[in-house]
Amino acid sequence: METKDKAKNEVFQIAFPGMEIDEYATFLRVEGALEKAAIYKRLGFVRKEIKNTATYEYQPSQRTNVISKPAETAAIANVDGSDRLKKTHDQVMKAIDRLRNAHQRIITTRYLESDDVLDVNVWLELNLAERTYYRLKREAMSELAYALGLEVKKEV
């Protein structure tokens, strides 16, 4: 059984000395970035379209002084969303390229090649022991979090 000091993430200890990093929340953010990159790689950007459907129900007056501009909103989302997704994809791919070979294979096989791949499929495909796979995956996720700036600090 590991002691508490050994169980701490070494990458986070080196990168952020004296800071407590929420590993679970950080890994969720990294998985979100990997998912966005995979979607962009597979589909590109899906454009937003405006909805100009007439409504046949009574709409009570709302005094919010807000003007609805669906065409403008869709145009801004299409331009900014496309750039944001491409930038995220490029950053993630650059960070993955800088990982060690074993880490690269784990991340690309698990997150970027197909949607329905499970961890068990990856460690069997890469001919790794379960414990080795999870240790390497944890190291890779930690390095990606540091490279992408996605770490989440613990609230003390």
Side-chain angles (χ1 to χ4, degrees):
M1 181 169 230
E2 295 181 3
T3 64
K4 186 174 181 175
D5 292 330
K6 250 188 165 179
K8 287 187 179 179
N9 194 318
E10 291 177 9
V11 173
F12 289 153
Q13 286 179 342
I14 293 169
F16 308 102
M19 292 173 56
E20 290 289 324
I21 302 294
D22 185 352
E23 193 170 328
Y24 180 74
T26 299
F27 289 174
L28 286 178
R29 288 179 79 182
V30 172
E31 284 182 341
L34 289 168
E35 185 177 317
K36 285 179 189 175
I39 290 171
Y40 184 80
K41 180 180 175 183
R42 193 173 60 248
L43 299 176
F45 180 70
V46 178
R47 299 213 166 268
K48 194 175 200 177
E49 296 181 11
I50 62 171
K51 299 175 181 119
N52 281 342
T53 307
T55 178
Y56 297 104
E57 297 177 6
Y58 172 70
Q59 298 291 324
S61 175
Q62 297 179 359
R63 298 183 184 189
T64 60
N65 294 331
V66 176
I67 300 171
S68 175
K69 298 179 182 178
E72 180 181 321
T73 305
I76 291 171
N78 286 337
V79 172
D80 292 345
S82 174
D83 291 344
R84 205 170 29 249
L85 265 178
K86 181 167 179 21
K87 184 179 176 185
T88 300
H89 174 265
D90 293 345
Q91 286 176 338
V92 167
M93 297 312 289
K94 188 183 286 186
I96 289 172
D97 287 341
R98 293 182 177 166
L99 292 175
R100 286 182 270 161
N101 192 25
H103 294 163
Q104 281 182 8
R105 286 185 293 142
I106 288 171
I107 296 298
T108 54
T109 305
R110 173 66 175 91
Y111 294 102
L112 300 176
E113 288 180 358
S114 180
D115 285 343
D116 56 352
V117 176
L118 302 173
D119 286 323
V120 67
N121 302 111
V122 178
W123 84 61
L124 290 174
E125 181 180 327
L126 299 177
N127 199 23
L128 295 171
E130 180 180 4
R131 185 173 177 184
T132 304
Y133 167 78
Y134 280 112
R135 180 181 51 81
L136 291 172
K137 180 181 173 186
R138 181 178 182 216
E139 290 171 2
M141 295 290 274
S142 301
E143 290 177 18
L144 282 176
Y146 176 65
L148 297 171
L150 298 175
E151 59 278 341
V152 177
K153 298 173 189 165
K154 280 187 181 176
E155 296 294 326
V156 181

mmCIF file of all heavy atoms in Angstrom, residues 61-94:
data_model
loop_
_atom_site.group_PDB
_atom_site.id
_atom_site.type_symbol
_atom_site.label_atom_id
_atom_site.label_comp_id
_atom_site.label_asym_id
_atom_site.label_seq_id
_atom_site.Cartn_x
_atom_site.Cartn_y
_atom_site.Cartn_z
ATOM 1 N N SER A 61 -45.496 40.870 -23.153
ATOM 2 C CA SER A 61 -44.422 41.840 -23.257
ATOM 3 C C SER A 61 -43.434 41.657 -22.103
ATOM 4 O O SER A 61 -43.831 41.489 -20.957
ATOM 5 C CB SER A 61 -45.005 43.252 -23.218
ATOM 6 O OG SER A 61 -43.973 44.193 -23.205
ATOM 7 N N GLN A 62 -42.179 41.677 -22.449
ATOM 8 C CA GLN A 62 -41.142 41.581 -21.423
ATOM 9 C C GLN A 62 -40.364 42.881 -21.424
ATOM 10 O O GLN A 62 -39.834 43.298 -22.440
ATOM 11 C CB GLN A 62 -40.211 40.412 -21.717
ATOM 12 C CG GLN A 62 -40.907 39.089 -21.674
ATOM 13 C CD GLN A 62 -39.941 37.956 -21.992
ATOM 14 O OE1 GLN A 62 -38.784 38.190 -22.249
ATOM 15 N NE2 GLN A 62 -40.440 36.744 -21.964
ATOM 16 N N ARG A 63 -40.298 43.506 -20.303
ATOM 17 C CA ARG A 63 -39.629 44.815 -20.215
ATOM 18 C C ARG A 63 -38.192 44.639 -19.727
ATOM 19 O O ARG A 63 -37.847 45.067 -18.643
ATOM 20 C CB ARG A 63 -40.411 45.720 -19.295
ATOM 21 C CG ARG A 63 -41.787 45.955 -19.849
ATOM 22 C CD ARG A 63 -42.563 46.884 -19.029
ATOM 23 N NE ARG A 63 -43.904 46.959 -19.623
ATOM 24 C CZ ARG A 63 -44.797 47.800 -19.264
ATOM 25 N NH1 ARG A 63 -44.562 48.637 -18.289
ATOM 26 N NH2 ARG A 63 -45.956 47.811 -19.853
ATOM 27 N N THR A 64 -37.399 43.998 -20.553
ATOM 28 C CA THR A 64 -35.999 43.788 -20.194
ATOM 29 C C THR A 64 -35.079 44.721 -20.962
ATOM 30 O O THR A 64 -33.892 44.779 -20.689
ATOM 31 C CB THR A 64 -35.580 42.347 -20.492
ATOM 32 O OG1 THR A 64 -35.751 42.103 -21.882
ATOM 33 C CG2 THR A 64 -36.369 41.355 -19.669
ATOM 34 N N ASN A 65 -35.612 45.430 -21.941
ATOM 35 C CA ASN A 65 -34.832 46.328 -22.799
ATOM 36 C C ASN A 65 -33.695 45.594 -23.512
ATOM 37 O O ASN A 65 -32.656 46.169 -23.802
ATOM 38 C CB ASN A 65 -34.276 47.508 -21.999
ATOM 39 C CG ASN A 65 -35.364 48.409 -21.496
ATOM 40 O OD1 ASN A 65 -36.426 48.509 -22.114
ATOM 41 N ND2 ASN A 65 -35.129 49.060 -20.369
ATOM 42 N N VAL A 66 -33.876 44.307 -23.759
ATOM 43 C CA VAL A 66 -32.905 43.514 -24.482
ATOM 44 C C VAL A 66 -33.441 43.267 -25.887
ATOM 45 O O VAL A 66 -34.579 42.841 -26.055
ATOM 46 C CB VAL A 66 -32.636 42.170 -23.771
ATOM 47 C CG1 VAL A 66 -31.698 41.310 -24.593
ATOM 48 C CG2 VAL A 66 -32.068 42.419 -22.388
ATOM 49 N N ILE A 67 -32.614 43.564 -26.877
ATOM 50 C CA ILE A 67 -33.019 43.373 -28.261
ATOM 51 C C ILE A 67 -32.467 42.034 -28.725
ATOM 52 O O ILE A 67 -31.280 41.757 -28.577
ATOM 53 C CB ILE A 67 -32.493 44.510 -29.147
ATOM 54 C CG1 ILE A 67 -33.059 45.839 -28.660
ATOM 55 C CG2 ILE A 67 -32.832 44.261 -30.601
ATOM 56 C CD1 ILE A 67 -32.444 47.037 -29.327
ATOM 57 N N SER A 68 -33.327 41.213 -29.292
ATOM 58 C CA SER A 68 -32.919 39.909 -29.782
ATOM 59 C C SER A 68 -32.401 40.046 -31.212
ATOM 60 O O SER A 68 -33.078 40.592 -32.076
ATOM 61 C CB SER A 68 -34.111 38.954 -29.749
ATOM 62 O OG SER A 68 -33.754 37.738 -30.331
ATOM 63 N N LYS A 69 -31.192 39.575 -31.445
ATOM 64 C CA LYS A 69 -30.589 39.627 -32.778
ATOM 65 C C LYS A 69 -30.073 38.225 -33.120
ATOM 66 O O LYS A 69 -28.895 37.933 -32.989
ATOM 67 C CB LYS A 69 -29.439 40.622 -32.798
ATOM 68 C CG LYS A 69 -29.853 42.045 -32.490
ATOM 69 C CD LYS A 69 -28.647 42.950 -32.500
ATOM 70 C CE LYS A 69 -29.046 44.363 -32.142
ATOM 71 N NZ LYS A 69 -27.879 45.240 -32.090
ATOM 72 N N PRO A 70 -30.970 37.329 -33.570
ATOM 73 C CA PRO A 70 -30.546 35.951 -33.810
ATOM 74 C C PRO A 70 -29.501 35.807 -34.911
ATOM 75 O O PRO A 70 -28.592 34.992 -34.802
ATOM 76 C CB PRO A 70 -31.839 35.226 -34.169
ATOM 77 C CG PRO A 70 -32.810 36.284 -34.540
ATOM 78 C CD PRO A 70 -32.383 37.526 -33.838
ATOM 79 N N ALA A 71 -29.586 36.592 -35.976
ATOM 80 C CA ALA A 71 -28.614 36.474 -37.062
ATOM 81 C C ALA A 71 -27.228 36.915 -36.586
ATOM 82 O O ALA A 71 -26.216 36.276 -36.886
ATOM 83 C CB ALA A 71 -29.050 37.302 -38.264
ATOM 84 N N GLU A 72 -27.186 38.006 -35.840
ATOM 85 C CA GLU A 72 -25.910 38.504 -35.321
ATOM 86 C C GLU A 72 -25.300 37.509 -34.328
ATOM 87 O O GLU A 72 -24.100 37.230 -34.373
ATOM 88 C CB GLU A 72 -26.124 39.851 -34.642
ATOM 89 C CG GLU A 72 -24.879 40.468 -34.075
ATOM 90 C CD GLU A 72 -25.166 41.798 -33.398
ATOM 91 O OE1 GLU A 72 -25.983 42.569 -33.922
ATOM 92 O OE2 GLU A 72 -24.551 42.044 -32.346
ATOM 93 N N THR A 73 -26.124 36.968 -33.457
ATOM 94 C CA THR A 73 -25.654 36.003 -32.468
ATOM 95 C C THR A 73 -25.092 34.753 -33.139
ATOM 96 O O THR A 73 -24.039 34.240 -32.744
ATOM 97 C CB THR A 73 -26.796 35.624 -31.512
ATOM 98 O OG1 THR A 73 -27.329 36.818 -30.937
ATOM 99 C CG2 THR A 73 -26.318 34.712 -30.413
ATOM 100 N N ALA A 74 -25.790 34.250 -34.162
ATOM 101 C CA ALA A 74 -25.321 33.059 -34.879
ATOM 102 C C ALA A 74 -24.023 33.341 -35.624
ATOM 103 O O ALA A 74 -23.107 32.509 -35.634
ATOM 104 C CB ALA A 74 -26.388 32.571 -35.850
ATOM 105 N N ALA A 75 -23.908 34.523 -36.240
ATOM 106 C CA ALA A 75 -22.694 34.872 -36.975
ATOM 107 C C ALA A 75 -21.488 34.957 -36.038
ATOM 108 O O ALA A 75 -20.409 34.452 -36.338
ATOM 109 C CB ALA A 75 -22.884 36.190 -37.715
ATOM 110 N N ILE A 76 -21.673 35.580 -34.892
ATOM 111 C CA ILE A 76 -20.579 35.697 -33.914
ATOM 112 C C ILE A 76 -20.184 34.315 -33.406
ATOM 113 O O ILE A 76 -18.993 34.006 -33.297
ATOM 114 C CB ILE A 76 -20.984 36.628 -32.762
ATOM 115 C CG1 ILE A 76 -21.087 38.066 -33.270
ATOM 116 C CG2 ILE A 76 -20.005 36.530 -31.606
ATOM 117 C CD1 ILE A 76 -21.689 39.033 -32.281
ATOM 118 N N ALA A 77 -21.175 33.475 -33.112
ATOM 119 C CA ALA A 77 -20.881 32.124 -32.619
ATOM 120 C C ALA A 77 -20.147 31.305 -33.674
ATOM 121 O O ALA A 77 -19.234 30.534 -33.345
ATOM 122 C CB ALA A 77 -22.172 31.423 -32.210
ATOM 123 N N ASN A 78 -20.518 31.462 -34.941
ATOM 124 C CA ASN A 78 -19.859 30.709 -36.007
ATOM 125 C C ASN A 78 -18.398 31.130 -36.184
ATOM 126 O O ASN A 78 -17.529 30.288 -36.359
ATOM 127 C CB ASN A 78 -20.604 30.871 -37.330
ATOM 128 C CG ASN A 78 -21.891 30.085 -37.365
ATOM 129 O OD1 ASN A 78 -22.054 29.113 -36.635
ATOM 130 N ND2 ASN A 78 -22.820 30.515 -38.186
ATOM 131 N N VAL A 79 -18.139 32.416 -36.131
ATOM 132 C CA VAL A 79 -16.768 32.896 -36.304
ATOM 133 C C VAL A 79 -15.926 32.573 -35.077
ATOM 134 O O VAL A 79 -14.858 31.975 -35.178
ATOM 135 C CB VAL A 79 -16.753 34.416 -36.585
ATOM 136 C CG1 VAL A 79 -15.335 34.954 -36.564
ATOM 137 C CG2 VAL A 79 -17.409 34.705 -37.917
ATOM 138 N N ASP A 80 -16.400 32.963 -33.902
ATOM 139 C CA ASP A 80 -15.630 32.748 -32.675
ATOM 140 C C ASP A 80 -15.534 31.275 -32.311
ATOM 141 O O ASP A 80 -14.480 30.811 -31.873
ATOM 142 C CB ASP A 80 -16.247 33.523 -31.504
ATOM 143 C CG ASP A 80 -16.108 35.032 -31.676
ATOM 144 O OD1 ASP A 80 -15.311 35.462 -32.524
ATOM 145 O OD2 ASP A 80 -16.800 35.769 -30.951
ATOM 146 N N GLY A 81 -16.614 30.534 -32.481
ATOM 147 C CA GLY A 81 -16.622 29.111 -32.131
ATOM 148 C C GLY A 81 -15.656 28.308 -32.973
ATOM 149 O O GLY A 81 -14.934 27.447 -32.477
ATOM 150 N N SER A 82 -15.612 28.597 -34.260
ATOM 151 C CA SER A 82 -14.700 27.895 -35.158
ATOM 152 C C SER A 82 -13.249 28.167 -34.774
ATOM 153 O O SER A 82 -12.435 27.244 -34.694
ATOM 154 C CB SER A 82 -14.957 28.340 -36.596
ATOM 155 O OG SER A 82 -14.015 27.792 -37.467
ATOM 156 N N ASP A 83 -12.933 29.423 -34.528
ATOM 157 C CA ASP A 83 -11.566 29.775 -34.137
ATOM 158 C C ASP A 83 -11.185 29.156 -32.804
ATOM 159 O O ASP A 83 -10.075 28.660 -32.637
ATOM 160 C CB ASP A 83 -11.405 31.299 -34.052
ATOM 161 C CG ASP A 83 -11.474 31.963 -35.415
ATOM 162 O OD1 ASP A 83 -11.335 31.251 -36.436
ATOM 163 O OD2 ASP A 83 -11.668 33.190 -35.456
ATOM 164 N N ARG A 84 -12.106 29.180 -31.860
ATOM 165 C CA ARG A 84 -11.844 28.630 -30.529
ATOM 166 C C ARG A 84 -11.598 27.120 -30.597
ATOM 167 O O ARG A 84 -10.672 26.602 -29.971
ATOM 168 C CB ARG A 84 -13.019 28.965 -29.595
ATOM 169 C CG ARG A 84 -12.680 29.001 -28.156
ATOM 170 C CD ARG A 84 -13.777 29.570 -27.272
ATOM 171 N NE ARG A 84 -15.137 29.391 -27.739
ATOM 172 C CZ ARG A 84 -15.929 30.382 -28.161
ATOM 173 N NH1 ARG A 84 -15.509 31.624 -28.166
ATOM 174 N NH2 ARG A 84 -17.162 30.141 -28.557
ATOM 175 N N LEU A 85 -12.433 26.395 -31.363
ATOM 176 C CA LEU A 85 -12.258 24.951 -31.495
ATOM 177 C C LEU A 85 -10.950 24.607 -32.202
ATOM 178 O O LEU A 85 -10.249 23.681 -31.798
ATOM 179 C CB LEU A 85 -13.425 24.335 -32.268
ATOM 180 C CG LEU A 85 -14.561 23.775 -31.455
ATOM 181 C CD1 LEU A 85 -15.658 23.238 -32.363
ATOM 182 C CD2 LEU A 85 -14.107 22.705 -30.501
ATOM 183 N N LYS A 86 -10.618 25.338 -33.257
ATOM 184 C CA LYS A 86 -9.362 25.082 -33.967
ATOM 185 C C LYS A 86 -8.176 25.353 -33.060
ATOM 186 O O LYS A 86 -7.214 24.576 -33.036
ATOM 187 C CB LYS A 86 -9.272 25.938 -35.230
ATOM 188 C CG LYS A 86 -7.989 25.676 -36.002
ATOM 189 C CD LYS A 86 -8.037 26.256 -37.376
ATOM 190 C CE LYS A 86 -6.787 26.055 -38.168
ATOM 191 N NZ LYS A 86 -5.880 25.022 -37.803
ATOM 192 N N LYS A 87 -8.238 26.419 -32.290
ATOM 193 C CA LYS A 87 -7.142 26.752 -31.369
ATOM 194 C C LYS A 87 -6.993 25.660 -30.307
ATOM 195 O O LYS A 87 -5.874 25.229 -30.006
ATOM 196 C CB LYS A 87 -7.416 28.103 -30.706
ATOM 197 C CG LYS A 87 -6.313 28.575 -29.812
ATOM 198 C CD LYS A 87 -6.646 29.933 -29.213
ATOM 199 C CE LYS A 87 -5.566 30.360 -28.243
ATOM 200 N NZ LYS A 87 -5.910 31.608 -27.562
ATOM 201 N N THR A 88 -8.122 25.185 -29.750
ATOM 202 C CA THR A 88 -8.069 24.101 -28.761
ATOM 203 C C THR A 88 -7.481 22.847 -29.373
ATOM 204 O O THR A 88 -6.615 22.202 -28.784
ATOM 205 C CB THR A 88 -9.479 23.807 -28.209
ATOM 206 O OG1 THR A 88 -9.998 24.976 -27.594
ATOM 207 C CG2 THR A 88 -9.467 22.676 -27.203
ATOM 208 N N HIS A 89 -7.919 22.496 -30.578
ATOM 209 C CA HIS A 89 -7.406 21.309 -31.271
ATOM 210 C C HIS A 89 -5.906 21.417 -31.486
ATOM 211 O O HIS A 89 -5.151 20.477 -31.212
ATOM 212 C CB HIS A 89 -8.130 21.124 -32.611
ATOM 213 C CG HIS A 89 -7.572 20.022 -33.439
ATOM 214 N ND1 HIS A 89 -6.628 20.242 -34.414
ATOM 215 C CD2 HIS A 89 -7.787 18.693 -33.431
ATOM 216 C CE1 HIS A 89 -6.296 19.105 -34.975
ATOM 217 N NE2 HIS A 89 -6.989 18.135 -34.397
ATOM 218 N N ASP A 90 -5.447 22.564 -31.975
ATOM 219 C CA ASP A 90 -4.023 22.742 -32.243
ATOM 220 C C ASP A 90 -3.193 22.666 -30.962
ATOM 221 O O ASP A 90 -2.124 22.052 -30.935
ATOM 222 C CB ASP A 90 -3.772 24.072 -32.959
ATOM 223 C CG ASP A 90 -4.357 24.089 -34.363
ATOM 224 O OD1 ASP A 90 -4.688 23.002 -34.888
ATOM 225 O OD2 ASP A 90 -4.508 25.190 -34.926
ATOM 226 N N GLN A 91 -3.688 23.280 -29.875
ATOM 227 C CA GLN A 91 -2.965 23.239 -28.602
ATOM 228 C C GLN A 91 -2.881 21.812 -28.071
ATOM 229 O O GLN A 91 -1.827 21.381 -27.594
ATOM 230 C CB GLN A 91 -3.647 24.125 -27.564
ATOM 231 C CG GLN A 91 -3.450 25.599 -27.784
ATOM 232 C CD GLN A 91 -4.227 26.433 -26.775
ATOM 233 O OE1 GLN A 91 -5.198 25.973 -26.194
ATOM 234 N NE2 GLN A 91 -3.796 27.662 -26.588
ATOM 235 N N VAL A 92 -3.993 21.081 -28.146
ATOM 236 C CA VAL A 92 -4.014 19.706 -27.644
ATOM 237 C C VAL A 92 -3.075 18.828 -28.464
ATOM 238 O O VAL A 92 -2.289 18.045 -27.904
ATOM 239 C CB VAL A 92 -5.455 19.136 -27.651
ATOM 240 C CG1 VAL A 92 -5.460 17.637 -27.437
ATOM 241 C CG2 VAL A 92 -6.302 19.824 -26.592
ATOM 242 N N MET A 93 -3.101 18.960 -29.773
ATOM 243 C CA MET A 93 -2.240 18.136 -30.616
ATOM 244 C C MET A 93 -0.759 18.468 -30.393
ATOM 245 O O MET A 93 0.083 17.575 -30.368
ATOM 246 C CB MET A 93 -2.611 18.305 -32.095
ATOM 247 C CG MET A 93 -4.022 17.829 -32.428
ATOM 248 S SD MET A 93 -4.448 16.203 -31.775
ATOM 249 C CE MET A 93 -3.466 15.153 -32.787
ATOM 250 N N LYS A 94 -0.450 19.741 -30.200
ATOM 251 C CA LYS A 94 0.937 20.129 -29.926
ATOM 252 C C LYS A 94 1.393 19.561 -28.585
ATOM 253 O O LYS A 94 2.514 19.067 -28.463
ATOM 254 C CB LYS A 94 1.060 21.652 -29.914
ATOM 255 C CG LYS A 94 2.495 22.146 -29.821
ATOM 256 C CD LYS A 94 2.562 23.659 -29.737
ATOM 257 C CE LYS A 94 2.251 24.254 -31.075
ATOM 258 N NZ LYS A 94 2.447 25.723 -31.104
#
